[in-house]
Amino acid sequence: LRRRLKEIRKVFNFHFFRDYSYNVIKTWNKPFDYLFIDGSHIYEHVKKDFEDWHPHLVGGGIVAFHDSTMNRGGQQYWEGPSRLADELIFDSRLNYIKSIGRLTIFQKK
């Protein structure tokens, strides 16, 4: 894993934090291009992660939710992220791109 992370850092600009997202967001002030949400699977927690971080995602940026395809052919658990992804399909802030495997992918308008 460490070798793979070093390889990724050579190619892309990633930031890794050893903390909860709700702590990191308190001091975050930079825009970013990609948001991957895969934390708590409780609906309210997934929604808070999205609402906290979405304002920093640049227009055209991608947000992907892991374990979020329960109601679109995915495995029959992970109700929280699946429920939020289902709601966001109709959210005017995002364009739904696709569901693949256990991921639901959106692009910010």
Side-chain angles (χ1 to χ4, degrees):
L1 178 61
R2 288 179 191 225
R3 191 173 98 219
R4 183 165 292 204
L5 291 176
K6 286 180 183 180
E7 291 171 7
I8 289 172
R9 287 183 181 150
K10 289 178 186 176
V11 178
F12 301 100
N13 185 11
F14 282 92
H15 296 277
F16 296 93
F17 300 94
R18 291 181 185 222
D19 202 346
Y20 294 105
S21 62
Y22 56 80
N23 288 331
V24 175
I25 193 62
K26 292 175 185 175
T27 58
W28 189 264
N29 62 3
K30 298 176 185 174
F32 51 84
D33 300 314
Y34 182 74
L35 174 60
F36 184 75
I37 296 181
D38 183 25
S40 169
H41 286 39
I42 296 169
Y43 171 80
E44 291 80 11
H45 298 173
V46 181
K47 185 170 183 171
K48 180 169 177 35
D49 271 345
F50 173 74
E51 295 298 341
D52 282 351
W53 289 94
H54 174 262
H56 299 284
L57 185 64
V58 299
I62 300 296
V63 58
F65 293 86
H66 191 242
D67 296 334
S68 60
T69 57
M70 182 177 104
N71 304 316
R72 279 167 277 108
Q75 295 176 335
Q76 293 303 303
Y77 35 92
W78 304 306
E79 183 179 337
S82 295
R83 178 178 159 198
L84 182 62
D86 291 348
E87 292 172 6
L88 292 175
I89 287 173
F90 303 102
D91 191 298
S92 63
R93 299 172 291 176
L94 302 170
N95 287 319
Y96 170 69
I97 303 297
K98 70 185 324 186
S99 297
I100 184 166
R102 295 186 300 197
L103 290 177
T104 305
I105 304 165
F106 297 91
Q107 184 174 36
K108 184 175 181 178
K109 292 183 179 177

